[in-house]
Amino acid sequence: MDLSKLKTNKRILKSLANSLKDSYNRKKTIDDLWDNMLNQILVQFKFKLPENPDTENTMDDLKAILAEFDINGLRIREKQRRYNGIWATNGKYDESEEITVDFRNFKIKVLYDPDSRHCSWSRLVIDFLEPKTSANILSTCRYEKTDRMDLRRMVMMLTNLDNGIDDFRENHWPEMKTNIQKQQKLTLMAENTIELLLNGKMAGTGIPYVIEKQKTRVKVTFDVGKKTMVEMAVSHKNFTEQIDKIINAVKQLKEFISTSDMQIHIKPITVSHGARYHWLNTGQPQDE
């Protein structure tokens, strides 16, 4: 499995660079990012299998195929009884079985439901667990009625993914760390430029402001008078155009508030606020 394209994925590079920036452990270095990268790989991994309505396989079939591929660390939990409530077709107790499989680079949890009902409950559920803690589920695949050949294909794909991760770490991870460092420099350059432009353009306006550097933007909070502040965000992209528009808007707002004799409050429209008001002039009939 070729994972080499991930080393130039801009979204992943920025995410990894930001994880260094936001780390509570200030001693964390770029060499400590492998666990984050592994999570990125597993979150994206999906595979599809065809459905076969005449299939009658079991968890034992899956375990037999895993044994053929010599997967070490197979842990099996005993069958657990559960009651499906309103989803049960026969009103009786049904059996499901769960196993945890340790590959070299990741763990999966497999839940098998032997009930042959056709509904939203999947017969085979595969969860990719966070490698270190197993506390979080990174990705989930669900299947209905898979036959032995499809189970074999599934195990082969998981094995290829495991081998592909080994290959990526050995042959591509060093180059990707270099790309992450470049992304860090680009982000830092954008942040510093935004700060310099803001400081220069705000000089002499008399408007107090605070700059907060965030993952993909710089948030600026302005004191526009009469105990009122407004927040605006400058993204790392096209910030030269945004800054002038933001400063002009803040100046006009400051002038309006300072010369007005009415109380003005600026706040975001949250879900609760939006549901509370019956908005007028929306371009729709009022009964909608």
Side-chain angles (χ1 to χ4, degrees):
M1 181 171 293
D2 184 14
L3 303 174
S4 59
K5 292 183 179 180
L6 296 179
K7 66 185 178 184
T8 55
N9 185 298
K10 292 183 179 180
R11 182 188 63 80
I12 294 178
L13 289 173
K14 181 163 285 190
S15 175
L16 293 175
N18 288 335
S19 67
L20 272 181
K21 177 181 176 182
D22 296 340
S23 174
Y24 290 107
N25 179 10
R26 297 306 175 186
K27 295 181 180 179
K28 188 174 182 179
T29 67
I30 197 167
D31 292 319
D32 300 320
L33 288 180
W34 172 248
D35 290 338
N36 300 70
M37 181 61 207
L38 186 53
N39 288 353
Q40 290 281 353
I41 294 174
L42 297 179
V43 163
Q44 298 183 73
F45 185 73
K46 297 281 186 181
F47 56 88
K48 295 182 179 180
L49 296 176
E51 296 180 9
N52 185 350
D54 300 322
T55 297
E56 290 296 339
N57 58 357
T58 66
M59 180 67 90
D60 290 336
D61 294 325
L62 176 59
K63 289 187 285 189
I65 295 172
L66 287 168
E68 289 180 27
F69 282 81
D70 191 25
I71 305 299
N72 296 322
L74 182 65
R75 298 203 307 271
I76 303 175
R77 299 183 185 181
E78 295 182 358
K79 288 184 178 180
Q80 300 174 347
R81 288 188 176 274
R82 57 174 170 75
Y83 183 61
N84 291 328
I86 62 173
W87 288 298
T89 56
N90 50 20
K92 298 180 180 180
Y93 286 94
D94 298 311
E95 285 188 338
S96 64
E97 191 174 358
E98 184 178 293
I99 64 173
T100 300
V101 187
D102 292 340
F103 289 80
R104 290 188 305 275
N105 295 292
F106 56 86
K107 297 180 181 180
I108 63 169
K109 182 177 69 175
V110 184
L111 175 66
Y112 184 81
D113 180 3
D115 196 345
S116 59
R117 294 161 299 144
H118 291 281
C119 65
S120 60
W121 191 288
S122 297
R123 298 194 65 192
L124 184 66
V125 180
I126 299 176
D127 293 330
F128 285 85
L129 305 178
E130 196 169 19
K132 276 206 167 183
T133 65
S134 298
N136 298 317
I137 296 175
L138 300 175
S139 179
T140 298
C141 304
R142 290 181 169 86
Y143 307 102
E144 298 274 357
K145 290 186 172 291
T146 54
D147 59 25
R148 282 181 59 85
M149 183 175 294
D150 292 328
L151 291 178
R152 186 179 298 277
R153 288 174 55 206
M154 179 189 70
V155 175
M156 288 180 64
M157 284 187 282
L158 290 169
T159 304
N160 290 337
L161 173 63
D162 205 19
N163 294 333
I165 291 172
D166 284 337
D167 176 73
F168 182 88
R169 185 169 190 175
E170 180 178 352
N171 298 313
H172 302 291
W173 179 237
E175 181 181 347
M176 189 169 187
K177 288 192 292 184
T178 301
N179 293 336
I180 293 171
Q181 289 174 323
K182 292 179 181 178
Q183 180 62 51
Q184 279 184 299
K185 292 179 181 178
L186 289 174
T187 300
L188 181 61
M189 187 182 303
E191 290 176 343
N192 291 339
T193 304
I194 291 171
E195 187 172 10
L196 285 172
L197 288 175
L198 278 170
N199 290 339
K201 292 178 180 293
M202 290 298 294
T205 62
I207 302 176
Y209 63 99
V210 176
I211 295 176
E212 180 184 347
K213 298 176 182 178
Q214 299 179 330
K215 288 185 178 181
T216 60
R217 63 185 191 174
V218 173
K219 185 176 75 174
V220 191
T221 303
F222 300 91
D223 180 352
V224 290
K226 294 186 178 179
K227 296 183 178 181
T228 303
M229 67 181 186
V230 61
E231 293 179 353
M232 296 191 183
V234 186
S235 70
H236 293 164
K237 295 181 179 179
N238 303 323
F239 55 82
T240 52
E241 301 173 6
Q242 295 176 30
I243 288 176
D244 287 333
K245 293 179 180 178
I246 287 174
I247 293 177
N248 289 335
V250 170
K251 286 180 179 179
Q252 293 177 26
L253 185 59
K254 168 77 172 177
E255 182 179 359
F256 172 72
I257 290 177
S258 63
T259 57
S260 174
D261 57 357
M262 64 182 74
Q263 287 188 340
I264 299 173
H265 298 284
I266 299 175
K267 56 186 178 182
I269 299 177
T270 61
V271 175
S272 59
H273 283 138
R276 185 189 309 170
Y277 300 119
H278 184 66
W279 300 98
L280 301 176
N281 200 28
T282 60
Q284 297 178 348
Q286 294 304 310
D287 58 358
E288 296 184 8

